[in-house]
Amino acid sequence: MERVDVAIVGGGPAGTAAAHAAAEHGADALVLEKGVPREDRERLGPDSTDAAGILDYWVDIMGIHPDEMPDGVVQNVLDRAEFRGPNAACNLRSTGIDSSYDEFGYTFHRARFDDFLRSRAEEAGATYRVDASVKGVLTEARDHPRHTIALANGEEIGADYLLLCDGPQRTITMGVLDDYLPDHRKASEVLSPPTANHIAYQEYRKFPEEIYEEVKDAIVFWWGLMPGHTAYPWIFPNQDRVCRVGLTMPIGMDIDEVADREKYDLLRPEDERIPQGATYIERLLEREYGDEYDLSDFPIVEDAGKNRGTETYPISSTRPIDSPVDAGIAVCGGAMGTTSAFHEGGDHLAVRTGAIAGRLAAEGKLGRYNHEWREAIGDEVLRNVSLAELVRDWGPDQWDKVFRVGEEMLTEGGASEMLSWSPRAGLTGAKLLGEYKLVKFRNRNRHVQLTADEYSY
């Protein structure tokens, strides 16, 4: 049986960051990645599907500056985020949070980003094995190595530490965690993908030059056009007039349970079920640009993405979890529930949690992981959970109401939050800020949904 110090299940941002950190600190680190094909990657790699944008202060959370990345990873430098409602809009030009990165943010090519992280880990001395599908894990606390990882091809790998970085689907994570929870508390129920994830869909489309010039410096989000908690479409600009047009929404929505469905611009009276992602995107482009352009003016770029210019993928939309560190196990990235406020991904959090776990495993101090991830990203996770909770029941009218005072609410710097208040925001702004602060206060001790003291060994 092959033996390593640290075995890492999953080769995405969390897994490669963990491998890099573990190897840099002297451990024998092995990444096990099942490997998926993509139109824009020559070799098999991780499931590189994500909205793929980074804000300024996320650079510091991630711990990797874009200047460290090879050409082609960063696509466009951004100067704003545009938030559009059915009849109102506002722009965010500063997060208000101190950062070492001078720009508002950037978009990046996710597959090239993953390849960069893989090369970085391998250069540090880690091994990255593709076509290595993990079948299961057996842990014996008193054995050395503690963990035996069974691969689908019949191989077994022994490891002293196990880092679970298998993304929001949590294919291996759920089964492993169930072994450390009492019968009445199952990770497979708390973290079940149909209930704990959103579904996302995006297309790579070539934009007309005039429209591309309007959006190339911005990430654009629409709110109140489609039903569902934190359900929204977006445009993220890449290079060469290519934009990613996508959306995220809860899984398994029932259109008959949608209140005031006639207010959602992307629904039609004849819809018998929630539209598919491709239908939503066509309706969005027609709504925004149909007066001057046809859909044929926005052709799909078939040599990009996961499948002929399109991709569907899960995004964790749950609260984060602690790990059973006393068993030598840490859960990182999407598998632990890290995400950004509105579920468009959390690559910066995945990289940071993976790096923390990899370093601590190499140092033999994995017991500190739950404490250290809180110290590093606790404020960000609390902010994200609270913002998502704040908007849970908002409909189109509420989004318009908020965006009408949005320009006065979105901070221009010098704060620790993205929301601030000025007299020009009026009572609506004061009420919104008060509600957010109350939600955040209530969440301060309960934003982690599976805590360390719930595990038994």
Side-chain angles (χ1 to χ4, degrees):
M1 179 172 64
E2 180 182 358
R3 291 193 174 194
V4 296
D5 299 324
V6 183
I8 300 156
V9 178
T16 45
H20 173 266
E24 269 206 330
H25 287 80
D28 181 12
L30 171 65
V31 177
L32 300 168
E33 167 58 48
K34 65 181 179 181
V36 296
R38 285 182 62 86
E39 302 286 357
D40 48 12
R41 177 192 284 130
E42 293 183 3
R43 58 184 179 179
L44 294 178
D47 192 1
S48 302
T49 42
D50 194 275
I54 294 291
L55 301 181
D56 53 5
Y57 75 97
W58 291 5
V59 171
D60 296 316
I61 290 176
M62 186 164 63
I64 302 173
H65 196 280
D67 289 348
E68 302 174 47
M69 302 175 189
D71 292 343
V73 176
V74 174
Q75 293 287 286
N76 284 22
V77 175
L78 307 170
D79 64 18
R80 69 192 183 281
E82 297 185 7
F83 301 100
R84 303 181 184 180
N87 302 292
C90 63
N91 295 334
L92 174 68
R93 296 186 178 275
S94 170
T95 63
I97 299 175
D98 289 340
S99 167
S100 64
Y101 183 60
D102 293 333
E103 308 293 343
F104 175 80
Y106 63 89
T107 60
F108 63 95
H109 190 294
R110 173 60 194 273
R112 294 174 187 167
F113 177 68
D114 279 333
D115 286 346
F116 156 67
L117 292 178
R118 173 180 174 176
S119 297
R120 180 171 169 265
E122 290 175 328
E123 289 168 4
T127 300
Y128 191 107
R129 188 176 301 174
V130 184
D131 200 17
S133 182
V134 175
K135 183 178 180 181
V137 177
L138 176 65
T139 297
E140 295 291 344
R142 293 179 176 82
D143 287 355
H144 293 283
R146 274 189 284 188
H147 309 287
T148 301
I149 299 98
L151 303 185
N153 64 5
E155 290 183 60
E156 290 187 340
I157 296 168
D160 294 323
Y161 294 98
L162 174 66
L163 308 185
L164 298 170
C165 307
D166 51 344
Q169 289 295 79
R170 306 175 176 96
T171 307
I172 303 303
T173 292
M174 288 187 293
V176 171
L177 296 189
D178 275 347
D179 290 340
Y180 298 96
L181 292 170
D183 292 339
H184 69 277
R185 182 70 156 157
K186 292 294 184 183
S188 51
E189 296 174 358
V190 177
L191 304 175
S192 174
T195 57
N197 290 340
H198 274 45
I199 192 70
Y201 172 81
Q202 68 179 359
E203 297 175 350
Y204 293 72
R205 287 182 176 262
K206 191 91 167 183
F207 270 41
E209 185 171 353
E210 297 84 355
I211 303 300
Y212 182 76
E213 287 298 315
E214 294 177 5
V215 301
K216 69 178 183 179
D217 304 320
I219 49 177
V220 186
F221 306 94
W222 284 264
W223 296 94
L225 299 192
M226 53 188 289
H229 175 226
T230 60
Y232 61 97
W234 67 69
I235 290 177
F236 274 36
N238 281 16
Q239 293 177 346
D240 302 322
R241 289 174 38 213
V242 174
C243 292
R244 285 165 285 131
V245 190
L247 59 98
T248 181
M249 61 182 173
I251 298 172
M253 291 179 59
D254 184 348
I255 197 169
D256 292 331
E257 296 180 359
V258 176
D260 301 322
R261 56 177 289 183
E262 71 280 356
K263 293 185 177 181
Y264 292 96
D265 286 0
L266 300 188
L267 291 183
R268 301 289 182 267
E270 65 271 18
D271 288 337
E272 296 181 355
R273 59 182 61 86
I274 295 295
Q276 295 183 338
T279 301
Y280 266 141
I281 287 177
E282 288 183 359
R283 291 177 181 178
L284 175 71
L285 293 175
E286 288 170 349
R287 178 187 188 273
E288 295 298 310
Y289 309 115
D291 290 344
E292 299 182 38
Y293 298 92
D294 296 323
L295 282 174
S296 60
D297 296 319
F298 300 83
I300 292 178
V301 181
E302 295 193 350
D303 61 354
K306 193 174 177 181
N307 181 25
R308 299 178 65 85
T310 70
E311 47 201 23
T312 302
Y313 53 99
I315 295 180
S316 173
S317 57
T318 189
R319 296 168 183 262
I321 64 170
D322 277 334
S323 297
V325 291
D326 289 346
I329 298 170
V331 188
C332 312
M336 72 174 285
T338 57
T339 184
S340 55
F342 297 115
H343 313 315
E344 76 271 8
D347 294 314
H348 59 306
L349 300 179
V351 169
R352 185 61 176 273
T353 54
I356 292 170
R359 170 179 55 81
L360 292 174
E363 295 174 345
K365 300 176 182 177
L366 197 62
R368 291 186 49 81
Y369 175 66
N370 293 323
H371 170 76
E372 289 209 14
W373 78 250
R374 278 177 167 81
E375 287 290 310
I377 66 169
D379 288 344
E380 172 76 351
V381 170
L382 176 57
R383 180 187 300 115
N384 296 343
V385 167
S386 301
L387 282 170
E389 183 177 322
L390 175 69
V391 306
R392 177 169 293 280
D393 297 320
W394 287 9
D397 294 342
Q398 179 70 12
W399 284 110
D400 274 341
K401 182 179 180 180
V402 168
F403 289 155
R404 288 190 181 101
V405 300
E407 294 286 3
E408 310 301 336
M409 293 290 296
L410 296 173
T411 184
E412 287 298 328
S416 61
E417 296 284 357
M418 293 185 198
L419 292 175
S420 62
W421 182 82
S422 74
R424 290 175 296 180
L427 292 176
T428 299
K431 184 174 182 291
L432 175 63
L433 186 60
E435 289 175 352
Y436 167 66
K437 289 184 175 180
L438 178 60
V439 170
K440 188 176 178 184
F441 178 78
R442 287 200 307 254
N443 276 319
R444 70 194 188 285
N445 294 320
R446 63 180 179 89
H447 61 286
V448 177
Q449 66 167 341
L450 184 58
T451 58
D453 58 8
E454 296 184 70
Y455 295 109
S456 58
Y457 301 92

